[in-house]
Amino acid sequence: DARVTQTPRHKVTEMGQEVTMRCQPILGHNTVFWYRQTMMQGLELLAYFRNRAPLDDSGMPKDRFSAEMPDATLATLKIQPSEPRDSAVYFCASGPAGTGPVRVNTGELFFGEGSRLTVL
Amino acid sequence: AQSVAQPEDQVNVAEGNPLTVKCTYSVSGNPYLFWYVQYPNRGLQFLLKYITGDNLVKGSYGFEAEFNKSQTSFHLKKPSALVSDSALYFCAVRVDSSYKLIFGSGTRLLVRP
């Protein structure tokens, strides 16, 4: 049963520490998204990759957040330095390449279980 | 700008009764619309989508949604609710050809026995 795998599931850290969250997308999927979920803001799109290339990270605070895909099986989201306001659940999602001559992806995403981050 | 609105924070319904979770959208061009469900401490799961064609879309777990272009709505429905349907439901719209999904604020569905 193919699924998106995220680690760690839970992370408690102190303000100022570096946090790295990892995601293994479903094999063969070529789009990867990072979302952040909080009670106040709901689901926010942080970054988006297609074929490992970053296409949009406009939702991400650039001064402290960075997202990368070092290879097709790994996506990372790093926060340095972390702040209490970063406390949230971070979700990774992947999507298939799509079908047809232009390989249009109709938008169905597969989400991981999330990484719950608490910054004290 | 593309957006979706879910006007109800919570919907309460008795088991066995029909349920409706509302969603309205604002897009330029043809909308790609989605419903996802989130159970406690879990990631979102895809329920159904509207791309084109029949306005009534059927999805997982007996859910369906009706696309209404004139009212710019995409309400989620189920003829007979189950207690196990209690969860957080998100409506989403795809943004252009970028494959990005913009989610609504979510509606908590509570089905009482």
Side-chain angles (χ1 to χ4, degrees):
Chain A
D1 187 21
R3 62 182 64 186
V4 175
T5 304
Q6 289 187 246
T7 56
R9 291 294 314 277
H10 301 274
K11 176 72 175 180
V12 180
T13 191
E14 293 188 346
M15 183 174 61
Q17 297 298 304
E18 177 179 300
V19 175
T20 298
M21 289 168 275
R22 294 177 173 80
C23 168
Q24 180 177 359
I26 292 174
L27 188 65
H29 284 189
N30 75 333
T31 56
V32 174
F33 300 79
W34 283 104
Y35 284 89
R36 175 170 65 182
Q37 186 177 32
T38 60
M39 289 291 291
M40 295 300 294
Q41 300 297 327
L43 276 165
E44 303 172 274
L45 178 63
L46 297 176
Y48 155 55
F49 293 79
R50 193 194 318 165
N51 296 324
R52 295 177 53 202
L55 291 191
D56 187 348
D57 59 3
S58 57
M60 207 164 63
K62 302 291 192 305
D63 56 338
R64 298 184 299 107
F65 284 61
S66 62
E68 297 179 344
M69 277 201 76
D71 61 59
T73 64
L74 177 64
T76 62
L77 180 66
K78 186 177 295 185
I79 309 174
Q80 168 63 21
S82 58
E83 298 181 1
R85 58 179 168 156
D86 301 330
S87 298
V89 182
Y90 291 80
F91 288 103
C92 175
S94 69
T99 58
V102 293
R103 299 187 66 77
V104 174
N105 181 310
T106 53
E108 178 179 346
L109 296 184
F110 296 78
F111 281 76
E113 300 283 87
S115 293
R116 182 177 296 276
L117 173 65
T118 302
V119 183
L120 303 174
Chain B
Q2 327 275 26
S3 65
V4 289
Q6 294 181 242
E8 303 155 315
D9 289 336
Q10 182 161 315
V11 169
N12 298 305
V13 64
E15 187 173 33
N17 284 359
L19 69 88
T20 299
V21 183
K22 295 179 181 177
C23 171
T24 58
Y25 65 89
S26 174
V27 301
S28 54
N30 294 321
Y32 285 28
L33 296 160
F34 304 80
W35 277 101
Y36 283 76
V37 60
Q38 184 180 29
Y39 297 101
N41 301 313
R42 304 293 298 275
L44 279 70
Q45 297 177 33
F46 170 79
L47 271 182
L48 51 78
K49 65 186 175 187
Y50 171 83
I51 305 299
T52 186
D54 196 347
N55 289 344
L56 186 63
V57 179
K58 294 188 183 298
S60 307
Y61 312 121
F63 283 93
E64 57 189 27
E66 186 170 12
F67 172 67
N68 188 317
K69 188 172 183 177
S70 63
Q71 297 186 2
T72 62
S73 67
F74 189 56
H75 300 333
L76 181 70
K77 300 181 180 184
K78 187 173 182 181
S80 179
L82 300 173
V83 173
S84 57
D85 293 330
S86 298
L88 189 56
Y89 290 82
F90 290 94
C91 183
V93 62
R94 196 183 99 173
V95 179
D96 302 321
S97 60
S98 67
Y99 312 152
K100 292 192 301 185
L101 288 185
I102 302 300
F103 287 89
S105 55
T107 298
R108 188 165 301 281
L109 173 66
L110 182 60
V111 182
R112 57 186 186 277

